[in-house]
Amino acid sequence: MEGKCKENEIAAIADIYQSFDPAAYLQNNYTSPRADFGRKDSIVPWKLACFHRAFTDGDISGELLVDIGSGPTLYQVMSGCEVFNKVLLTDFLEVNRQELKGWLQDEKSSLDWTPYFQHVCKLEGRGPSAVREKIARLREVVKDVVPVNIHLPQPVSPDVLPQGKADCLVSCFCLESSSPDLATFTKAMGHISSLLRQNGHLLLIGALEESYYLGGPGVKIPVVPLNEAQVCASLQETGFTLIRLEVYTLPRDMSVGVDDVTGVFFVKARKN
Ligand SMILES: C[S@@+](CC[C@H](N)C(=O)[O-])C[C@H]1O[C@@H](n2cnc3c(N)ncnc32)[C@H](O)[C@@H]1O
C-alpha cells in the first residue's frame, strides 16, 4: 500500500516534468546574476571552481564519466572532460537530451556556453586561445546522451554501459528535485551508485533547504528540502565515504524568484 503511494508520488513529479522548458530553465539559472563571471560570489563560478578542484586533486581517473540528470546543461562536465576520454550525458526528458545533442552537433543551443568555457580555461591556467580546443574536446569525448530514470534499480539501459561501470559519476540538482521525500532521494542515490565501480568517485551538487523550483513559467517542481547532515547520512547509507563537503550560501540578490533555495552543497565521495 505504502509502495503504491510512493509510486504515485514519483509519477506525479514525472508528470510535472513533462512541462519542463529547457530554455526558461537555462535563462533562470545559467545567466546573470547566477552566472556572473565577474563576481566571486556568483553561484555558477562557485560550482565550476568545485569541479575544477575535484578533478585536479589527482585522485580521480579512469575511462568513463557518467553525468546523471544532465538536464540541458554542460557546465558540470567541462572540467571532467579533460580527465576522461568518454563522457556519457543522461536525462529523463527528451527535450533536454535534444537540447544537449543540438549543442554537441553544433546546430542549435538555447544558451551560449562560451563564457563558461572561457572561465574553466582560466581556472586551468590556459589562455583564451584554448577555448576552441576545449569545446572540440568536450564534443569529442561525449559519446552519447541517453535516457535515465533514477527511480529504477537500473537507471540506464544495460546496453549503454557495455564495458561495465563508470569510473566517476557526476550529478547536479537531480536527485532532490525528482524525489518526493528523503527516503526516495536516498534510494535513488543507491540506484545511481550501482552504475559506479568500487572506489569510483561521486561528485554531487544539490540544493539546500529548497522546497520548489520553476522548470518553466508556472511549472512548479517540488524539491526535497535537504540539510548537510541528511546528505551525509544518505551517502553513508548507500556505501559512500565522504572526501569533501563544501557549502555555498546564496547571497540575497541571487534569489531571483525562480526557487526558494538557500544554499548549495558540493560533495566529493568515494564508493566503498
Ligand atoms: C534541476 S534539473 C538539473 C539539471 C542540471 N543537472 C543542472 O545542473 O542544472 C533536474 C533534472 O532532473 C531530471 N529528472 C527528472 N526526473 C528524473 C528521473 N526520474 N530520473 C532522472 N532524472 C530526472 C530532469 O529532467 C532535469 O533535467
Side-chain angles (χ1 to χ4, degrees), residues 17-57:
Y17 264 105
Q18 300 314 308
S19 304
F20 187 88
D21 175 345
Y25 177 74
L26 289 168
Q27 178 64 35
N28 289 346
N29 295 288
Y30 295 98
T31 62
S32 195
R34 291 189 168 186
D36 184 340
F37 295 101
R39 270 178 70 173
K40 274 232 155 59
D41 64 347
S42 178
I43 177 168
V44 165
W46 180 83
K47 291 192 282 183
L48 293 176
C50 288
F51 278 122
H52 172 69
R53 248 192 320 276
F55 281 109
T56 51
D57 282 339

Side-chain angles (χ1 to χ4, degrees), residues 78-125:
M78 288 182 183
S79 289
C81 73
E82 302 295 339
V83 176
F84 290 90
N85 288 323
K86 288 184 189 154
V87 174
L88 196 64
L89 301 179
T90 71
D91 200 68
F92 183 65
L93 296 175
E94 174 69 15
V95 278
N96 284 335
R97 298 194 296 271
Q98 284 308 327
E99 173 69 35
L100 296 172
K101 286 178 184 169
W103 183 86
L104 287 168
Q105 288 152 15
D106 200 7
E107 280 170 1
K108 58 175 171 52
S109 196
S110 301
L111 190 77
D112 178 10
W113 292 101
T114 312
Y116 285 69
F117 283 100
Q118 285 166 339
H119 188 78
V120 180
C121 278
K122 217 185 264 178
L123 293 174
E124 290 171 357

Side-chain angles (χ1 to χ4, degrees), residues 17 25 30 69-73 75-76 91-93 96 148-151 172-174 177-178 213:
Y17 264 105
Y25 177 74
Y30 295 98
S70 306
T73 70
Y75 72 92
Q76 66 276 20
D91 200 68
F92 183 65
L93 296 175
N96 284 335
V148 67
N149 187 347
I150 57 163
H151 301 305
C172 304
F173 305 103
C174 173
S177 71
S178 314
Y213 80 99

Side-chain angles (χ1 to χ4, degrees), residues 227-261:
N227 61 42
E228 289 126 273
Q230 289 167 327
V231 175
C232 292
S234 296
L235 288 164
Q236 196 177 21
E237 205 179 315
T238 53
F240 286 99
T241 298
L242 184 66
I243 298 172
R244 185 188 300 148
L245 172 73
E246 295 182 51
V247 170
Y248 168 90
T249 304
L250 216 75
R252 203 175 272 254
D253 68 331
M254 297 282 155
S255 296
V256 288
V258 298
D259 53 41
D260 62 351
V261 69

